[in-house]
Amino acid sequence: MIGANRIIIAAAGSGKTTYLVEEAVKIQRERVLITTYTESNEAEIRQRFFDVVGHVPSNVVIMTWFSFLITHGVKPFQGGLFEFQITGMLLVAARSGLRYKPQVGHPSYWAESETGKHYFDQRRQVYSDKLAKLAIRCNEGSGGAVIDRVSRIFQHVFVDEVQDLAGYDLDVLAALARSSSRLLMVGDPRQVTYLTHHEQRHKKYTDGGIVQFLQNDIPKKVPVDIDETSLNRSHRNSAVICEISSRLYPNLPVTHACACADCRVGAAGPNGALILRPADYAHYVAKFWPMQLRDKVTTSGVIDRFPVMNFGESKGRGFDHVVILPTRPMSRWLLDPAAELASQSRAKFYVALTRARHSVAIAMDWGNAPLPAGFTLYDREHRS
């Protein structure tokens, strides 16, 4: 089945999870694995099956990426590398395997030859940033048996939110692409708000460069169809929100709003993109109950008695109205699109903008500068 591999570059709100579910439902005589990075995305996929067909078919297995790597990538063939039992996984936010940290100078880390300390903590939990690497080592040590076993169990491997994978995860994807399984990936390179780890391997592809990796690092004899058109219309965002959010990624295809009659209907309140002055913030939130989106819990300005989420937490969700408390770099970018905006900040801002169906308001003191194209200033007197 080599040659059936495909990646779909999807717009925010284009229905990529529904697409995967509908593709899986078509398959009845073969087994399907659907994997995604976060537990919340896994739960969303399960719920979408219930929405579409009322149950998860018996031939479909849904797992997080980490669970997949432990269950099918490491445990069946770990004996070739180590003998002890894995007790779980430790989620880390920085490089793991610290050996020594001096008061002055660079820290020292355990070498890969020290398997028990390079990959595991003292409780024999595998570090999350080393899990894909360990799966690759198990595959190499077993002569490719890991990937061979996966392809015999699952004739189809679907990966949701594929843009979140990095480092040795990409080696796992490449190995699956070379296998007999059909590999179907969907994702949005503009939404890299999470990364599975911070390994140096394939670092140049960490900021949404999944397409470049597939084009550059997978042999030409292993074709992967790159589809940038099937899911390029948003069923969530209005035309104005699509146009504004697309400015953050001028080198990627512009997202367009769908023309479906039943999308984005039935909500009272403002429409489009607004600049919301701090003096009007409390009035606006109390009147329209938008979802308040912030960078982190320490961000000031939110009103806690109304709904609030962090940018990363909101990914995959949709709301009628959104109000964004931008970081300083985000505010500077609105004032000047040529201003520097780090990749993670750019992705978070894109995610925040694209959560809204009807209106997105940016809470900031704008001053006298001309408003960005597509924005209007919220006028409390005329909307009260």
Side-chain angles (χ1 to χ4, degrees):
M1 201 174 288
I2 290 178
N5 303 313
R6 186 183 186 198
I7 182 170
I8 302 178
I9 304 304
S14 62
K16 57 182 177 293
T17 301
T18 299
Y19 173 82
L20 284 186
V21 168
E22 291 175 345
E23 285 295 298
V25 169
K26 296 176 185 177
I27 301 167
Q28 299 182 357
R29 297 183 181 276
E30 297 177 311
R31 286 173 60 81
V32 181
L33 168 69
I34 304 182
T35 181
T36 189
Y37 178 43
T38 67
E39 292 179 353
S40 60
N41 286 342
E42 179 195 14
E44 175 68 17
I45 294 169
R46 292 185 187 278
Q47 182 58 51
R48 202 61 56 87
F49 270 104
F50 283 94
D51 294 340
V52 173
V53 293
H55 67 285
V56 177
S58 59
N59 65 317
V60 174
V61 174
I62 307 168
M63 306 177 77
T64 66
W65 181 252
F66 287 136
S67 294
F68 162 63
L69 291 177
I70 289 179
T71 303
H72 295 285
V74 176
K75 285 191 173 180
F77 297 95
Q78 67 181 51
L81 297 180
F82 56 92
E83 298 296 336
F84 53 83
Q85 292 297 313
I86 299 175
T87 61
M89 184 193 76
L90 179 65
L91 188 64
V92 297
R95 183 178 175 181
S96 65
L98 180 65
R99 180 176 184 177
Y100 176 69
K101 185 176 182 180
Q103 291 183 344
V104 179
H106 298 291
S108 172
Y109 294 88
W110 290 105
E112 188 175 358
S113 58
E114 296 283 352
T115 302
K117 296 177 180 178
H118 178 78
Y119 290 103
F120 300 91
D121 70 356
Q122 293 180 344
R123 299 172 57 190
R124 300 304 192 193
Q125 297 178 113
V126 60
Y127 295 121
S128 60
D129 66 327
K130 303 276 180 61
L131 182 51
K133 180 180 180 180
L134 185 58
I136 288 295
R137 296 293 181 257
C138 287
N139 189 56
E140 293 170 345
S142 61
V146 170
I147 297 300
D148 179 67
R149 177 179 179 273
V150 170
S151 63
R152 286 187 284 109
I153 296 174
F154 301 107
Q155 290 73 47
H156 305 265
V157 178
F158 293 0
V159 184
D160 196 7
E161 303 289 2
V162 70
Q163 78 280 347
D164 289 331
L165 305 185
Y168 279 90
D169 296 324
L170 301 184
D171 292 290
V172 176
L173 289 179
L176 289 169
R178 293 191 293 267
S179 77
S180 61
S181 294
R182 169 200 179 197
L183 179 61
L184 175 60
M185 302 164 281
V186 296
D188 185 351
R190 293 158 288 209
Q191 298 190 55
V192 186
T193 57
Y194 295 112
L195 285 176
T196 49
H197 49 67
H198 301 277
E199 275 277 357
Q200 294 300 303
R201 186 167 178 79
H202 301 312
K203 187 175 181 179
K204 62 183 177 180
Y205 301 124
T206 54
D207 294 323
I210 181 66
V211 170
Q212 289 73 28
F213 170 76
L214 296 173
Q215 291 173 327
N216 299 337
D217 286 55
I218 292 184
K220 299 300 181 184
K221 63 181 180 181
V222 185
V224 178
D225 179 36
I226 299 171
D227 182 346
E228 296 182 320
T229 59
S230 293
L231 295 176
N232 70 341
R233 293 193 174 272
S234 177
H235 296 278
R236 178 191 304 135
N237 308 136
S238 66
V240 170
I241 296 172
C242 285
E243 194 278 328
I244 291 170
S245 61
S246 293
R247 290 179 208 158
L248 283 161
Y249 292 91
N251 295 327
L252 291 177
V254 174
T255 300
H256 299 282
C258 72
C260 305
D262 57 346
C263 290
R264 301 179 295 276
V265 298
N271 285 285
L274 307 167
I275 297 296
L276 177 63
R277 291 169 292 202
D280 295 324
Y281 188 89
H283 169 270
Y284 184 88
V285 171
K287 185 173 179 62
F288 300 115
W289 279 70
M291 175 59 70
Q292 303 171 93
L293 296 180
R294 63 190 178 190
D295 185 36
K296 49 191 174 184
V297 294
T298 56
T299 300
S300 61
V302 300
I303 303 177
D304 289 334
R305 68 178 183 273
F306 295 104
V308 60
M309 277 186 172
N310 292 351
F311 295 145
E313 180 188 5
S314 73
K315 190 165 73 168
R317 304 289 298 276
F319 309 98
D320 287 338
H321 306 291
V322 162
V323 59
I324 298 172
L325 287 87
T327 62
R328 287 183 181 179
M330 294 174 188
S331 297
R332 286 195 293 267
W333 181 87
L334 280 171
L335 285 162
D336 177 12
E340 182 179 355
L341 190 60
S343 57
Q344 283 284 288
S345 292
R346 192 176 294 268
K348 288 180 179 180
F349 199 20
Y350 177 84
V351 166
L353 287 168
T354 55
R355 297 313 93 198
R357 297 187 187 93
H358 298 280
S359 74
V360 58
I362 310 296
M364 61 183 294
D365 189 359
W366 187 260
N368 297 320
L371 295 175
F375 280 86
T376 58
L377 186 67
Y378 175 72
D379 188 340
R380 175 175 177 173
E381 298 302 322
H382 288 84
R383 296 178 183 268
S384 58

